[in-house]
Amino acid sequence: MSKDRILIADDEADIALILKLQLEDAGYKTVRVRDGVEALEVLAKESFELILLDIKMPRMDGIEVLKRVRISYPSMVVVMMTAHGNEEIAVTAMKDGAIDYIAKPFSNDDMLKRVERAISFNRTTQENERLQQQLAAEQRKNEAIIQGIAELLIAVDSRGEIISVNRMTETVLGMSREELIGLGIDKVLHTDLSPGVELPTLKTLATGRSIVDFTYSLHTPGGKIPVLSSAAPLKDSAGNLVGCVEIIRDISSIKALEREREDFVSMLSHDLKNPITAIVGSLDLVREGRLGPINKDQTEFIEAAEESCAEMVEMINSLLDVHKFEAGLMVMSFTSERPQHLLEKIQNQFSRVSEKAGVNLNFRIAPELPECSLDRTTFIRMMGNLLSNALKFTPEKGDISVSADIITDPSALVSSIPKGLYHETLIPVHGNYLKVMVEDSGVGIPEESLTDIFDRFVQAKNRREGKARGTGLGLAFCRKVMDAHKGLIWVMSEEGKGSRFIALFPLDSGDTIT
């Protein structure tokens, strides 16, 4: 049953009573007043969904009440009541804001239908107003978010003409919103793009596809600034392209940091290497006895100092090379190499070192390994890093083994790759690969570090706390080398039970990891 409240304003008691009874039988709640003055007094105290308002009443007629209701209660729904023959007056009242009229005498069914229709209209109107208010609130919130964005935001229509900008756009371009609206975006954004290269917005309008992380330089009243831009299409409910929005980020600070990093790397390569070279040269003079005889203990200390200098140079070289890889400046020469020859060279290099450290070093290289496309220099350095790493964290009388063989089904092996180290699309399921493995009986690596240990300056906690420490650059270099070879590298380990580093080099161009 409906609980809608209806105010009946009619000075004819009989008609008002009939209305009241019929409406209440239909489930409505009613309140009856005798004239327009009472109607306004009741409206000031109570709320109603509908007013049934008689046109002819004492003290204040229905037309005057309607006018005042429209001013004080603009959303109130009013149905006029008039005697038969006065329909023209009722129509005039509808022009003044009444939604309908009932002519007396009226039928019960007709009256109830008009009342129900009027209340339904009132509900629809109220719901529309609520939705409009909600929409306006969302628009205000979205506008506040857009205006607060630190990047430039420009929206254009399908012709490339600006329809909206945020405050940052006005500030950077030195133009007001009113000046920008309606201008073509190519007339507003002055860039250093080469002829024939389109702005991200125009390219998105032409193709309907998003453009992500497009870089160029923007000429503004404040000077030339490097920017990172992304554009996305705007579509209507039918999926038709109606415009585009471009977000432009000032990356001047990022570029400045990159320059600082490059300057720092240059400083490492020059200001640190030069004094180390001088130190090594001085130590050589002393060790060779050119400055006077030295005893056995002094020789050992000098050799230890030279080894420390060599480690320092290796750290600097690793940092420089990682930086070169990331900047795309690493020069590599891929040639057809026989892996066993390179591994034998590494074995000769580390045999004396492992013997001195009291660690058993074994090489197990499969015979007749096929030639593989390798960059000789980085391959040897990567293997050197893995062996140095193993020696550093393997105790005396421990074991280190290096093996190399061919696998034709990598699916079982790659299942041991720690989750998150590589995207699943980069992990091969077939193909021929050269597998190189370095296994040690050292301190091992905690499970939580198996993924991030190949990041720059990252070391497993148990290694940071041990006697042998490093910079966390060696394994980062190894990851860069394997990425350049379009291969994979990962580690299988358990804390306290040693580590097993595995590197896969693709042998078939058709199976190269991409």
Side-chain angles (χ1 to χ4, degrees):
M1 295 291 289
S2 172
K3 297 298 181 181
D4 295 316
R5 289 166 53 82
I6 299 175
L7 176 62
I8 303 171
D10 197 328
D11 59 328
E12 297 184 50
D14 292 341
I15 294 178
L17 180 59
I18 292 172
L19 280 170
K20 183 177 178 66
L21 292 175
Q22 290 176 341
L23 291 171
E24 290 182 351
D25 284 344
Y28 298 103
K29 289 186 176 181
T30 63
V31 173
R32 185 247 171 167
V33 295
R34 291 180 294 248
D35 57 40
V37 175
E38 286 188 20
L40 294 175
E41 291 175 351
V42 172
L43 281 174
K45 299 176 183 177
E46 304 178 42
S47 61
F48 297 89
E49 280 66 45
L50 171 66
I51 303 176
L52 291 176
L53 185 60
D54 191 21
I55 291 179
K56 298 293 184 178
M57 291 186 297
R59 294 203 291 176
M60 185 183 296
D61 63 21
I63 299 298
E64 181 62 26
V65 174
L66 175 63
K67 292 179 180 178
R68 297 194 181 191
V69 167
R70 289 277 68 83
I71 295 172
S72 301
Y73 314 99
S75 62
M76 180 64 67
V77 179
V78 179
V79 174
M80 305 303 294
M81 294 186 295
T82 182
H84 183 67
N86 291 329
E87 287 87 347
E88 186 177 345
I89 299 176
V91 171
T92 301
M94 291 179 65
K95 294 179 181 178
D96 290 335
I99 192 174
D100 202 352
Y101 72 92
I102 301 174
K104 303 176 185 177
F106 50 79
S107 70
N108 182 42
D109 290 342
D110 181 63
M111 181 272 297
L112 289 175
K113 286 180 180 179
R114 291 176 182 269
V115 167
E116 183 179 353
R117 187 168 59 205
I119 290 179
S120 176
F121 174 82
N122 184 38
R123 288 176 181 152
T124 302
T125 301
Q126 290 178 348
E127 179 64 14
N128 286 340
E129 288 180 355
R130 186 188 69 80
L131 292 175
Q132 288 290 341
Q133 292 173 356
Q134 184 177 344
L135 178 60
E138 287 297 320
Q139 288 175 335
R140 289 193 297 271
K141 182 169 67 175
N142 291 337
E143 182 68 16
I145 293 173
I146 290 172
Q147 294 301 327
I149 292 177
E151 288 81 25
L152 285 71
L153 185 147
I154 304 176
V156 301
D157 60 19
S158 58
R159 296 172 297 179
E161 295 179 354
I162 296 175
I163 57 176
S164 180
V165 297
N166 68 343
R167 191 176 298 112
M168 183 59 70
T169 303
E170 297 178 82
T171 301
V172 173
L173 298 183
M175 299 175 68
S176 67
R177 178 191 301 263
E178 291 72 20
E179 293 174 311
L180 291 167
I181 299 299
L183 295 178
I185 191 168
D186 56 337
K187 306 298 182 184
V188 171
L189 298 183
H190 305 289
T191 72
D192 63 349
L193 293 175
S194 303
V197 179
E198 293 182 309
L199 286 167
T201 293
L202 299 180
K203 191 169 184 180
T204 294
L205 289 176
T207 63
R209 296 192 297 270
S210 297
I211 304 295
V212 180
D213 294 346
F214 186 87
T215 59
Y216 58 88
S217 292
L218 186 63
H219 298 278
T220 72
K224 181 180 176 181
I225 58 174
V227 298
L228 184 68
S229 173
S230 294
L234 297 175
K235 298 183 179 181
D236 60 18
S237 57
N240 299 316
L241 184 68
V242 295
C244 174
V245 61
E246 182 174 354
I247 296 179
I248 304 171
R249 181 185 181 191
D250 182 353
I251 56 174
S252 300
S253 59
I254 297 176
K255 291 293 184 182
L257 287 174
E258 288 180 354
R259 286 192 296 272
E260 288 183 9
R261 184 177 67 172
E262 290 172 0
D263 292 343
F264 174 70
V265 172
S266 298
M267 181 273 290
L268 282 178
S269 63
H270 183 271
D271 295 350
L272 289 183
K273 274 191 172 181
N274 285 350
I276 292 174
T277 302
I279 292 172
V280 172
S282 300
L283 290 173
D284 283 341
L285 291 175
V286 175
R287 180 170 50 81
E288 293 172 1
R290 296 186 183 184
L291 302 180
I294 58 173
N295 57 37
K296 181 180 178 180
D297 291 338
Q298 291 171 330
T299 300
E300 291 180 355
F301 278 109
I302 291 173
E303 290 177 351
E306 288 180 329
E307 289 177 1
S308 296
C309 288
E311 289 181 5
M312 178 67 75
V313 171
E314 179 60 27
M315 291 178 187
I316 295 172
N317 288 336
S318 294
L319 179 58
L320 288 171
D321 289 341
V322 169
H323 171 73
K324 287 179 181 178
F325 272 118
E326 293 177 345
L329 301 175
M330 191 67 177
V331 178
M332 301 181 70
S333 176
F334 289 91
T335 56
S336 184
E337 301 282 354
R338 297 194 67 84
Q340 60 265 41
H341 292 169
L342 301 181
L343 291 171
E344 287 170 1
K345 181 178 180 180
I346 294 168
Q347 180 178 11
N348 295 332
Q349 179 183 348
F350 278 88
S351 294
R352 181 175 174 275
V353 178
S354 61
E355 183 179 348
K356 185 177 179 180
V359 175
N360 299 317
L361 177 61
N362 299 303
F363 275 71
R364 300 191 304 273
I365 304 172
E368 303 301 326
L369 287 176
E371 291 187 352
C372 185
S373 179
L374 299 170
D375 176 74
R376 171 190 288 258
T377 302
T378 56
F379 177 83
I380 291 175
R381 280 198 58 198
M382 184 192 79
M383 292 304 301
N385 283 353
L386 292 177
L387 279 168
S388 296
N389 205 54
L391 284 167
K392 190 182 297 182
F393 299 105
T394 300
E396 190 174 354
K397 296 183 180 180
D399 296 300
I400 297 175
S401 64
V402 178
S403 63
D405 54 9
I406 301 300
I407 60 170
T408 57
D409 180 12
S411 57
L413 180 64
V414 297
S415 63
S416 63
I417 296 177
K419 188 175 182 180
L421 183 61
Y422 287 98
H423 192 277
E424 57 183 13
T425 57
L426 299 178
I427 300 176
V429 294
H430 57 79
N432 298 320
Y433 292 85
L434 168 67
K435 183 189 76 172
V436 180
M437 185 167 65
V438 177
E439 187 174 5
D440 65 63
S441 59
V443 297
I445 302 170
E447 182 178 357
E448 64 270 15
S449 299
L450 296 180
T451 300
D452 58 14
I453 198 170
F454 293 98
D455 295 337
R456 287 189 302 163
F457 307 115
V458 173
Q459 280 193 298
K461 182 179 178 182
N462 64 335
R463 299 191 171 206
R464 293 197 307 269
E465 295 173 350
K467 294 181 180 180
R469 300 184 183 182
T471 60
L473 287 170
L475 292 179
F477 175 81
C478 294
R479 172 65 187 263
K480 297 296 182 184
V481 171
M482 292 308 300
D483 289 346
H485 283 80
K486 301 187 183 302
L488 301 175
I489 185 170
W490 71 98
V491 61
M492 300 168 59
S493 183
E494 186 176 345
E495 194 167 5
K497 295 185 179 180
S499 303
R500 181 182 300 169
F501 285 85
I502 302 171
L504 287 186
F505 295 86
L507 296 177
D508 304 325
S509 58
D511 296 314
T512 297
I513 305 167
T514 58

